[in-house]
Amino acid sequence: YCSPHEADLKNPVILVTNTHTQLRALAPELLSQTKLIIHPNSGYDHFAQEKDLWQEIPLVIGHEIRAQAVAEYSLSALFQGLSELPQH
């Protein structure tokens, strides 16, 4: 994670979110560079009121039954050079 001030906004951004992510609180420049949103938590109903912000960005959503496993797998895939992908 890096703050919007630390991000190199010249490069594409993959945004990994959680239930507490408030898209409207993020810098507009950050969202304009976002090419993918990964939301390992179940559903995206709290994103519904912010659809105008992400409707053009692909969104990967986890299922509530597998939220923990999806979160672990997503983060492990991002850091695959540092850890082994979990098999559960």
Side-chain angles (χ1 to χ4, degrees):
Y1 170 79
C2 62
S3 74
H5 302 290
E6 297 170 322
D8 177 4
L9 296 177
K10 295 178 182 145
N11 292 318
V13 172
I14 297 174
L15 185 61
V16 181
T17 64
N18 66 28
T19 302
H20 306 291
T21 302
Q22 300 295 319
L23 294 180
R24 294 208 185 277
L26 298 175
E29 300 84 23
L30 182 65
L31 281 175
S32 70
Q33 295 298 317
T34 300
K35 301 300 179 199
L36 175 66
I37 297 174
I38 301 175
H39 184 70
N41 299 51
S42 62
Y44 57 96
D45 41 322
H46 70 284
F47 283 120
Q49 63 272 22
E50 299 174 333
K51 186 170 183 171
D52 60 307
L53 297 175
W54 61 264
Q55 65 186 353
E56 300 296 323
I57 305 170
L59 179 62
V60 177
I61 302 168
H63 188 277
E64 65 184 76
I65 293 173
R66 300 207 13 93
Q68 183 65 34
V70 170
E72 288 178 15
Y73 186 86
S74 298
L75 291 174
S76 292
L78 289 173
F79 300 111
Q80 65 184 346
L82 301 174
S83 68
E84 195 172 309
L85 292 177
Q87 299 301 313
H88 65 283

